[in-house]
Amino acid sequence: MKRYRNGEIWDFEEEMQLLGDGFCDQREVILGLDGDTTCTVCVCMPLIPFADELPDPPPILSRAVAGCSNHNSVGESAARDALELVMADALSKAGSTRFCVQAVCLAVSGVNHPTDIERIMNWLRDIFPSHVQFFVQNDAVAALASGTMGKLHGCVLIAGTGTIAYGFTEDGRDARAAGAGPVLGDWGSGYGIAAQALTAAVRAYDGRGPYTALTPSILRKLDLSSPDELIGWTYSDPSWARIAALVPVVVTCAEGGDEVANKILRDAVQELASSVKAVVRRLQLCGEDGNDTFPLVMVGGVLEANKKWDIGREVINCICKDFPGVHPICPKVEPAIGAALLAWNLLARYSRQGTLRSETYSS
């Protein structure tokens, strides 16, 4: 371990040492991180003895939040700063230090290639002592684990600012669909829905598309006076989360009977369902006859059932037509806790096997 460029954020460790044992919790801990284009969450969980059953809900010593950690969205430097800051904050709140950490499960959107994983692993090795085990995954894996108490089996559908479907079989095979970002078509995501709504508003104003209630509704939401101003608003700060924040406007217009808004949501449902179906087919999660039961963990603001136009319910209905054995799960814990539970399960498995190694899950 060496002092990293943000070394000052770890100064609390020296202060704890000076204050003595009464101010520093010496128990072994696990860090679980979930990072996406909106924010990054880190939880600190005590290392529960492997002979014990995982309690439900699991004990959490602290929770910390930082900014976006998707390097494709904010750049590598800003993403790295957010991750280091949130880990230091979680340990400080727990009265713990890096020397007490036994494992870090870091699940971040934008981790899609072995080079992404290797870069993060090298950076983590610089920050933590050599005994710490690292598990680096796409954030979809932590979301799946949040619904399965840390076990990797089944499929997860994330639909927030972005979207991805990710699945695992019990023998460790994995597959994914979507999750390529807005440029390559994350249709069905919050960004995709909102971007289509903005496009529809501009097309209606130009005369290239039908009238839609989206135009005046979006203008009111953004406090703009003319559709001409939408262009400037969009490109002044084209961050994904900022655009995706317009999804509630689309849902409200759809519930009010606007056909353009309804078509956008219907298309989103088809896109999200098709992502899940693609993963299920590739992994045969439904069995050879297509009727086996499999868990589908559903995560993200787009899927939350808080409106009459329930996107999540419609996605399930669409999937059920082809795979009646789908078992939807709304997690009781957040993905960061799922990441911590996944790390605990992996450590427990390696302990039983007598081996410890850092591991990654990514396609």
Side-chain angles (χ1 to χ4, degrees), residues 163-192:
T163 183
I164 188 172
Y166 212 130
F168 278 88
T169 62
E170 291 180 330
D171 60 2
R173 291 180 297 117
D174 69 314
R176 58 176 284 175
V183 175
L184 297 178
D186 262 0
W187 308 127
S189 69
Y191 179 94

Side-chain angles (χ1 to χ4, degrees), residues 236-255:
S236 65
D237 177 12
S239 66
W240 304 344
R242 178 171 173 263
I243 303 294
L246 293 173
V247 168
V249 177
V250 185
V251 174
T252 299
C253 288
E255 291 178 344

Side-chain angles (χ1 to χ4, degrees), residues 260-325:
V260 174
N262 270 286
K263 184 178 186 306
I264 290 173
L265 295 186
R266 288 195 300 268
D267 289 347
V269 167
Q270 292 298 320
E271 288 288 343
L272 294 172
S274 68
S275 295
V276 173
K277 291 177 184 180
V279 170
V280 172
R281 288 192 182 100
R282 286 164 62 188
L283 297 178
Q284 289 191 315
L285 294 176
C286 54
E288 293 184 1
D289 61 0
N291 294 320
D292 285 5
T293 299
F294 63 91
L296 173 61
V297 180
M298 303 184 70
V299 178
V302 171
L303 302 173
E304 291 178 359
N306 53 5
K307 293 278 189 176
K308 183 173 66 175
W309 218 118
D310 189 336
I311 297 174
R313 182 183 61 209
E314 294 302 320
V315 170
I316 291 298
N317 290 341
C318 187
I319 295 170
C320 279
K321 294 176 182 178
D322 291 326
F323 305 117

Side-chain angles (χ1 to χ4, degrees), residues 76-155:
E76 181 181 343
S77 180
R80 192 167 57 188
D81 287 348
L83 289 169
E84 187 171 5
L85 176 63
V86 79
M87 290 189 292
D89 193 18
L91 286 171
S92 176
K93 289 179 176 178
S96 188
T97 70
R98 287 173 288 177
F99 297 94
C100 298
V101 176
Q102 300 303 301
V104 177
C105 181
L106 196 157
V108 188
S109 64
V111 174
N112 302 309
H113 192 272
T115 57
D116 300 327
I117 296 168
E118 187 60 29
R119 181 168 57 248
I120 293 174
M121 294 284 279
N122 288 336
W123 169 63
L124 288 172
R125 292 186 186 106
D126 283 344
I127 295 176
F128 287 92
S130 59
H131 73 270
V132 180
Q133 299 297 304
F134 306 120
F135 309 105
V136 179
Q137 298 108 12
N138 184 280
D139 64 328
V141 180
L144 174 61
S146 71
T148 60
M149 285 298 286
K151 295 180 174 63
L152 292 184
H153 171 61
C155 185

